[in-house]
Amino acid sequence: MKVALITGGSKGIGFGIAEALLKDGYKVAITSRTIASANQAAADLVAFGDVLAIEANVADFNSQQEAINLIIEKWGQLDVLIANAGVGHFAPVDELSVDLWKETIDTNLTGVFYSIKASVDEIKKSKGHIFTISSLAGTNFFAGGSAYNASKFGLTGFTQSVMLDLRKYGVKVSTIMPGSVASHFNNHQPDGETDAWKIQPEDMGKLIVDLLAMPARTLPSKVEIRPTTPKG
Ligand SMILES: NC(=O)c1ccc[n+]([C@@H]2O[C@H](COP(=O)([O-])OP(=O)(O)OC[C@H]3O[C@@H](n4cnc5c(N)ncnc54)[C@H](OP(=O)(O)O)[C@@H]3O)[C@@H](O)[C@H]2O)c1
């Protein structure tokens, strides 16, 4: 049975991917900055399969390494990394605080590097698959998005480079660039009715399951996904 780690699996996109991978037969570890949130999500997911809740902060390399160590101790392998954890802070550059800039880059960009750095040896052993969750904001810039755009433009470039580094080991690396997804992103409270036009977390889960089912010879390196009928 294959093993997946989803950083930031306590809610939103990560939670949707966790549910889809469990239903597809994976053992799934999810991380959150707090063990309470990770445990709550794991309790909601356990009906679908074998799930492990871990407290880990992607912005702390040692914390990421400990998460990988826990997974290897428990399950002995790691086949899929979904580097999903991310934050969104939006303000014009003259109003953007140094702290929010730092948190955005440390989480969305450096946090993905730490997640891959801590797991790459295990993923090479399993000839596994790494996904990063970038954004359409990783290719389209907008006012008020300086920190987020910088983090996601950086992540898109970083992931493409890592893809070229690791393909020779039989490791696939893909970056997913979603448009609007119904999640808790930027303190949003998802609402079934008003968010119905958005991509849903379970759609992201289906996408990952479908991409993992591609033949070994074929590498989906960069995938854009967007609502069919956007609002506003
Ligand atoms: N929603 C969208 O429209 C959209 C579009 C494109 C891309 N994305 C990207 O999708 C990813 C997931 O976002 P989402 O929309 O699902 O938002 P969300 O509902 O707010 O979920 C974010 C997840 O990331 C975790 N997280 C945040 N900082 C973390 C850290 N330092 N260490 C570990 N976990 C951390 C959160 O866990 P805790 O709060 O429990 O710690 C939570 O599980 C992000 O990278 C985001 O940029 C979102």
Side-chain angles (χ1 to χ4, degrees):
M1 197 183 270
K2 290 193 172 176
V3 174
L5 164 62
I6 303 167
T7 67
S10 62
K11 55 193 171 199
I13 292 172
F15 185 91
I17 296 172
E19 183 174 330
L21 287 178
L22 287 164
K23 287 177 176 169
D24 200 45
Y26 281 77
K27 295 176 184 170
V28 174
I30 54 170
T31 66
S32 158
R33 287 165 291 187
T34 61
I35 192 62
S37 296
N39 279 337
Q40 178 59 57
D44 294 338
L45 289 166
V46 74
F48 305 113
D50 211 347
V51 60
L52 174 64
I54 302 174
E55 179 178 303
N57 188 333
V58 292
D60 176 343
F61 177 71
N62 291 333
S63 173
Q64 278 311 108
Q65 190 64 67
E66 280 166 26
I68 302 301
N69 295 347
L70 275 175
I71 293 165
I72 298 305
E73 264 170 43
K74 187 171 169 68
W75 288 326
Q77 67 193 75
L78 181 63
D79 302 277
V80 175
L81 168 68
I82 315 280
N84 162 75
V87 292
H89 297 301
F90 303 94
V93 71
D94 48 330
E95 293 171 20
L96 182 70
S97 73
V98 169
D99 284 351
L100 289 185
W101 167 272
K102 199 166 155 25
E103 187 191 345
T104 307
I105 301 298
D106 287 356
T107 307
N108 298 3
L109 183 55
T110 308
V112 176
F113 167 64
Y114 288 168
S115 301
I116 292 176
K117 181 79 185 154
S119 58
V120 69
D121 290 344
E122 293 299 332
I123 301 261
K124 278 164 73 176
K125 276 189 220 161
S126 62
K127 296 193 190 305
H129 200 146
I130 296 169
F131 294 86
T132 67
I133 307 299
S134 183
S135 171
L136 290 180
T139 189
N140 306 326
F141 49 86
F142 48 86
S146 57
Y148 193 67
N149 281 144
S151 72
K152 294 298 186 178
F153 269 69
L155 178 57
T156 304
F158 167 78
T159 310
Q160 297 295 288
S161 176
V162 173
M163 180 269 292
L164 296 176
D165 286 343
L166 298 183
R167 66 201 298 203
K168 61 177 173 284
Y169 301 108
V171 171
K172 294 188 187 184
V173 180
S174 308
T175 191
I176 312 297
M177 307 179 71
S180 297
V181 183
S183 75
H184 293 82
F185 187 69
N186 195 23
N187 294 322
H188 179 70
Q189 280 309 315
D191 173 88
E193 207 171 314
T194 52
D195 284 345
W197 62 274
K198 296 180 182 174
I199 300 165
Q200 300 299 312
E202 62 263 33
D203 306 344
M204 296 296 296
K206 178 167 170 29
L207 175 71
I208 297 294
V209 168
D210 289 351
L211 293 177
L212 283 166
M214 296 287 289
R217 62 178 170 261
T218 301
L219 167 52
S221 50
K222 190 164 76 165
V223 177
E224 291 189 357
I225 175 170
R226 62 187 77 226
T228 307
T229 313
K231 282 254 170 72

